Each structure stands twice: as structure tokens, then as C-alpha cells.
Amino acid sequence: LTLPSRVMDVDNLLAANGEVDVQGNLPQPWPFPGLGQLRGQLALAAHNQGQNWIATRVEADLQLTEPNADWLSALPPELRSESLRVQVQPDTPLDGLRNDLTGRSLPLKLTLALRGATRLDLQGRLALASSAPWAVQFAETRLTTRTARVNQAGWQAGELSSDLKLAGHADATAVGLSIGQGSRLQAATLKGADLNAQKLQIDLGGSALDLKLQDGALQTWQFEGPLNLSTARLEQANLKPQGWRLQSQLAAADMVGTLRGKLSNDSELQLDLDASLDAKQNLQLKATLGELFLRSGNPLAKTLVQWPELLDLNSGRLNAVANLALSAGSNAPSVDLSLTGKGLGGIYDRSELSGLDTSLHVKLARQRFDLYLQQLKIQQANPGLPIGPIEARIRYGAPLASAAKGTLEVNLAQAALMGGQVTLTPGRWDLAASNQLFPIQIRGLELQQLFTLYPAEGLAGSGTLDGDLPVRLGQNGIEVEKGHIAARQPGGRLQFSSEKIKALGRSNPAMQLVTQSLEDFNFTTLNSSVDYDQHGKLRLAMRLEGQNPAIENGRPIHFNINLEEDIPNLLASLQLTDRVNEIITRRVQQRMLQRNTAPKEP
């Protein structure tokens, strides 16, 4: 070496002319300050002809053990190593060499093995700059890691591993990585506060990561490419356990980015996702449920824990769009959900539904829940007797902490029933109050249709009924007190002809006039009070005035009749005598068994 001065320092050595060939052998561990125990072989050769040092040879097989505790303690316990082995050997030149390395590269093979709580292996081919400025290009590089357990920031991962196939370059200002096909991250288990995943896998093949550096420090970064995620089983309080898959494209730079992809699960639910994170860390997520044909199954019912257990939709089409927004620094996202259904059919509890069209909007924001049923049309609902068409427009809002105690606003609620119309008077109700009164109007109910449905032998008639029912909803359930129903003028006709009734008249002279009168009774007045209790008992106190033309020249006859009917049992018997769905039959039989075995009140 020819040194520029006699002062022996690093600058003088770097500025020297000449050549250096160093070969070292440490057969026994040698303590290096700040590192640990080092042993192995090292060979370096370089020359300088007045401008830069040019490396001509680099070979090494070094092993570091007992690493220094100072820098080791800065790492999480799961990542601390016990030994590191580095092997460097000469190699053939790389294909497709970058321009900044042309004519000044040293081809090498690198093997690195880290052992400890984390096991890491790296093998690759390098083109190392043989002179300043430093740079490296690498290809056919594979990085594998395995960690038994990681516990960070409230998350616990078991059997965490990675297998990355890399190519790229690095210098003092930038690092660029191309992630090859088959690259993935895996965890046998992943647990968080309210989430548990098994056999989690993240596929990164085809992605690229670019880093910008300044004075050795990271300035900016950018990731772009596929991000595919799958788990064999995901457990979360609002979801039924099953496998999930995400196939997406991610573009991110400095914590700002977009993600677009498809999310699916084992129940064949498929959602289109569109997510973005802006510079202020505000998150926007849009999930779109494409048109779902329920005849082939209902993946929503198989996915959502909150799906009503008694609701079974098996025909029609559904689609939905959900928008989620989470502002920076906020723990409570706002959610907008729009759902549309066309021609839906199925079962709710013990009622069969058909021709259901609906348009629904739900909003969650600022600890508040709001629902707007813009449209509800049901061609027919059959809880034992056919009802429909049904129409409704409803709003409901409540604090999330007490979602069942909100405000109900009914703009429209009406249903066709037995030739007439049943209407709930529009209004607002505060469900936080203990008792709520819902005024229901009955207009145009036809007796002929009622008697067709009512299972009473020999009963027929005609006439039109109107009425008002004050329905009270409280702690005891549904009740009606002092309701009223009456026939329209000019009245109608009743015919009740039954062998049992005739036999009663023959055996009891006092009843003979009654039975004969009802065989053909033309009434001018039919009105009744209506009461219904929480146990399902309907009581009618009926006033009936009219005459039978065949009895005493049609002289006036007045009846006061008290009737009592168990409505749940009546509807159940109507359902069981008809050909209904097997599910409904089973539910009706179960409900009747529960009612019959329930303890009676004194």
C-alpha cells in the first residue's frame, strides 16, 4: 500500500493506492466487542489504482454465537437468536444485470442461517458492486422463517412461518423487491380480542415493494400487487365459524392506499370489496353483495349469527351494499347498509311468505341505530289464514346501548284480509314506555270469506264488517281491550245448519227457537265488543238483531251471544288441516305442545 501520509486512520487507508489480500481463520470462537463470539474463515481481496477500491474476491464462512445482550434485548423474545451463520462463495454472473452494476459487479452466492426462537434461512445469488457507490442486485433468492409463538399488541400467533421468493436490488437510496409466485406467510393459529383464525395464509406472489432511503433511514415506501388471504376456520362473535378467502389487489404508499377484491366463504357468500385509506388515516370500505338467488341456498343465513332463526328464505333475489367509514382516532365506525329484495319467498316462524319485495336502509353512526323500511310488499302471508297483499313503510331509531327502546314511526301499514282491509293508523311510538297503544282499523271484512275459513260445520253467511281494535303492546304481550266490530247496513244473512244443533233443539224446547231462527237469519244489526288477552283468548260479546222469514211471519228476534276462542290454537288447527310446509308443521306441533304443557295460571 502507498499511503498519502503517515497518519494511520481509516481515511488514509481508503485513500491508499495498492492492493490488499486478507485471509483469516478463527477455528475457535473469538470475542468481538458489541457482537459476540465469532469463528470461521474469511477471505477478501481488493486493489486501488488511485480512484476507488475495487473488490476482486469475497469468500466467508462465519458463525456468530452468544450474541451481545445489549442489541439482543431490543428485540422481542420471540425474535431473539442464539447463532448466526453466513456463507459467501463466488458465483457465475447474473443475467439481466442493471446498468449501474455493469462492469463493476462481483457475482456471489449467499447463504444465511439464523437459529434461536426464530429460525431463518436465506439462500440467493448476488451481484455485489465491486467499487463505490455500493449497490447489490439479487435473484433466485429464497427466505424462509419459522417461529413457534409470537405475542404482540394483543395478538397471539402460533407456528408462524414465511416462504418468500425474492428478486430485486438495493443501494444507498432505494431498495426494490419483486416477490415471486408461491411466496406466502402462514400461521397455524391467530388469536385476538374477539377473533380466532386457524390455518391462516397470506399469498403475496406477484407483488412488489419499493423503499426510498436517505442517510440509511427509510423515507417512503410503496407496495403494489396481489394480496390473497385464506383461513380454514374463522371464529368471531357475529359470524358462524367457517373458512374465508380474500382475493385482492393492494396499492399502498406511506400508509395511504386502496384495496379492491372479492371476499368469499364456505357458505358461498361472495362480496366485492373496495377499500381506501387517505393521508389523514380515514378508512372507507364498500362491500357489495351481487344479486343473490336464494333458490340455490341462503349464504347470509349460514354466515350471520344475527340472522333471524325463524326466518327461512328459499326463493327470490337479494342484493346489498354496505359502506363503512372510520375516522382517524375514532373507535366507532359509521355504517350504511342498503338491502333490496325481489320476489322473496319462504317461512317466518309459522307463517308462509310469498311475493315479498323490500327496500331497506340501515345506518349506524354516533352510537345510534336508524332503520328505514322504504318499501315492504308481501303478496301473501299465511299464518293459518291468507293475508295479503301487505304494504308497509316504517322508520325506527334508537341508541345502540338500548336498541329495543327507540322511536317507531309508521307511515303506512296495511293488509288485505278476507275481502277487506286492516290498517294501522300512522303515528309515532316511544318504545321506551311500558305500554304502547296501536290503533288498528278493520274495513270491509266479508263474512262469507270468514265462514269459509272458520272450521265450524254448517256455518255460512254474508255481510260486511267494520271495526276498530285498540291493540296494546306491553310487558304482558299483545292485548285488546274494548275493541268494537259491527256490520254495515243494511246488514246480512246467517245460516247455521248442523245436525248437532238440531238435535239440541229437539231435546231442549228452549233452544228450539234459537236453532230454527239461525237456520236462515237475516240480520240488520250485528255489533260486538272485542277483547283479547296475552294468553291468546279472544272474547266477543255480540248483539244480533234481525228475523227469520219462516218464523212467526218474520217477527224481530234479538240475540246476545258471548263467544270465546283460543286464537293460537285456532290458527294452529287451520295450519295442520291444510297442506303446509313440513317446517311449519313441526313448529306448530312444538308450539301446541308447549302451550298444552305450560302451567296454568290460577
Side-chain angles (χ1 to χ4, degrees), residues 3-49:
L3 301 177
S5 68
R6 295 186 178 185
V7 179
M8 294 293 293
D9 58 23
V10 174
D11 291 337
N12 275 333
L13 287 173
L14 294 177
N17 291 325
E19 60 184 32
V20 174
D21 191 338
V22 178
Q23 299 184 48
N25 181 29
L26 294 173
Q28 300 297 325
W30 188 277
F32 268 70
L35 287 179
Q37 301 286 331
L38 187 66
R39 67 175 181 176
Q41 297 83 39
L42 174 67
L44 297 173
H47 65 270
N48 187 344
Q49 297 179 347

Side-chain angles (χ1 to χ4, degrees), residues 377-399:
K377 292 183 178 180
I378 303 175
Q379 192 62 32
Q380 186 180 88
N382 190 349
L385 69 163
I387 304 174
I390 301 171
E391 291 187 77
R393 289 198 304 273
I394 297 172
R395 289 182 181 271
Y396 181 77

Side-chain angles (χ1 to χ4, degrees), residues 535 537 566 569 592-602:
H535 304 296
K537 295 292 185 182
D566 188 317
N569 280 343
M592 292 181 69
L593 180 62
Q594 291 173 348
R595 284 176 58 85
N596 293 335
T597 57
K600 305 297 182 181
E601 290 189 1

Side-chain angles (χ1 to χ4, degrees), residues 129-151:
S130 59
S131 61
W134 82 269
V136 63
Q137 182 177 342
F138 47 92
E140 302 176 26
T141 300
R142 184 178 184 184
L143 172 66
T144 61
T145 65
R146 183 174 295 276
T147 304
R149 189 175 295 104
V150 174
N151 189 345

Side-chain angles (χ1 to χ4, degrees), residues 188-210:
T189 60
L190 179 66
K191 294 182 180 180
D194 59 353
L195 183 143
N196 185 3
Q198 298 177 15
K199 294 183 180 180
L200 179 67
Q201 179 170 303
I202 302 174
D203 292 304
L204 301 169
S207 301
L209 176 65
D210 293 298

Side-chain angles (χ1 to χ4, degrees), residues 147-442:
T147 304
R149 189 175 295 104
V150 174
N151 189 345
Q152 291 292 318
W155 291 90
Q156 300 89 42
E159 295 298 329
L160 189 66
S161 64
S162 66
D163 187 353
L164 303 177
K165 299 171 183 178
L166 305 172
H169 70 280
D171 56 31
T173 61
V175 176
L177 293 178
S178 295
I179 305 175
Q181 297 297 330
S183 298
R184 60 178 56 95
L185 307 176
Q186 293 177 308
T189 60
L190 179 66
K191 294 182 180 180
D194 59 353
L195 183 143
N196 185 3
Q198 298 177 15
K199 294 183 180 180
L200 179 67
Q201 179 170 303
I202 302 174
D203 292 304
L204 301 169
S207 301
L209 176 65
D210 293 298
L211 311 176
K212 299 297 182 182
L213 309 175
Q214 184 174 353
D215 298 329
L218 177 65
Q219 294 298 304
T220 63
W221 62 269
Q222 181 175 341
F223 178 92
E224 186 171 357
L227 178 65
N228 300 324
L229 184 149
S230 66
T231 175
R233 181 180 175 89
L234 180 69
E235 299 176 7
Q236 202 272 342
N238 298 312
L239 302 173
K240 295 181 179 179
Q242 60 189 301
W244 286 82
R245 292 161 294 281
L246 171 66
Q247 293 184 316
S248 67
Q249 288 284 331
L250 175 64
D254 300 327
M255 298 308 294
V256 174
T258 60
L259 180 145
R260 291 180 175 86
K262 292 184 178 294
L263 179 67
S264 62
N265 65 10
D266 290 346
S267 298
E268 299 183 355
L269 177 69
Q270 295 188 0
L271 299 173
D272 292 328
L273 298 184
D274 191 341
S276 64
L277 186 68
D278 64 20
K280 296 181 179 180
Q281 301 301 288
N282 298 315
L283 174 66
Q284 299 283 339
L285 173 63
K286 180 180 180 181
T288 303
L289 173 66
E291 199 161 57
L292 183 64
F293 293 88
L294 297 175
R295 189 170 295 278
S296 59
N298 185 355
L300 290 174
K302 299 175 183 178
T303 299
L304 303 175
V305 171
Q306 288 85 0
W307 182 268
E309 183 179 359
L310 298 177
L311 179 60
D312 180 19
L313 297 178
N314 50 38
S315 64
R317 298 168 294 162
L318 268 179
N319 56 63
V321 177
N323 290 283
L324 180 146
L326 181 62
S327 300
S330 173
N331 295 323
S334 63
V335 178
D336 281 300
L337 170 66
S338 296
L339 184 145
T340 303
K342 295 290 185 182
L344 301 176
I347 298 169
Y348 179 70
D349 196 3
R350 299 178 301 279
S351 299
E352 195 164 6
L353 308 175
S354 62
L356 191 157
D357 295 341
T358 185
S359 178
L360 175 71
H361 182 242
V362 178
K363 184 175 182 179
L364 300 175
R366 300 181 182 89
Q367 300 299 315
R368 181 173 175 81
F369 165 79
D370 289 285
L371 180 149
Y372 179 27
L373 187 60
Q374 298 164 298
Q375 178 194 52
L376 175 66
K377 292 183 178 180
I378 303 175
Q379 192 62 32
Q380 186 180 88
N382 190 349
L385 69 163
I387 304 174
I390 301 171
E391 291 187 77
R393 289 198 304 273
I394 297 172
R395 289 182 181 271
Y396 181 77
L400 278 178
S402 54
K405 297 180 179 180
T407 300
L408 174 68
E409 179 182 342
V410 177
N411 298 311
L412 172 67
Q414 63 185 25
L417 175 65
M418 291 181 284
Q421 195 83 7
V422 179
T423 304
L424 172 62
T425 303
R428 292 170 60 93
W429 291 268
D430 182 4
L431 300 189
S434 57
N435 284 287
Q436 301 292 334
L437 189 64
F438 295 89
I440 292 180
Q441 300 174 349
I442 297 176

Side-chain angles (χ1 to χ4, degrees), residues 97-102 104-108 126-138 168-175:
L97 202 63
R98 290 169 56 90
N99 292 334
D100 60 337
L101 288 171
T102 301
R104 66 181 196 102
S105 67
L106 192 63
L108 302 170
L126 310 178
L128 181 66
S130 59
S131 61
W134 82 269
V136 63
Q137 182 177 342
F138 47 92
H169 70 280
D171 56 31
T173 61
V175 176

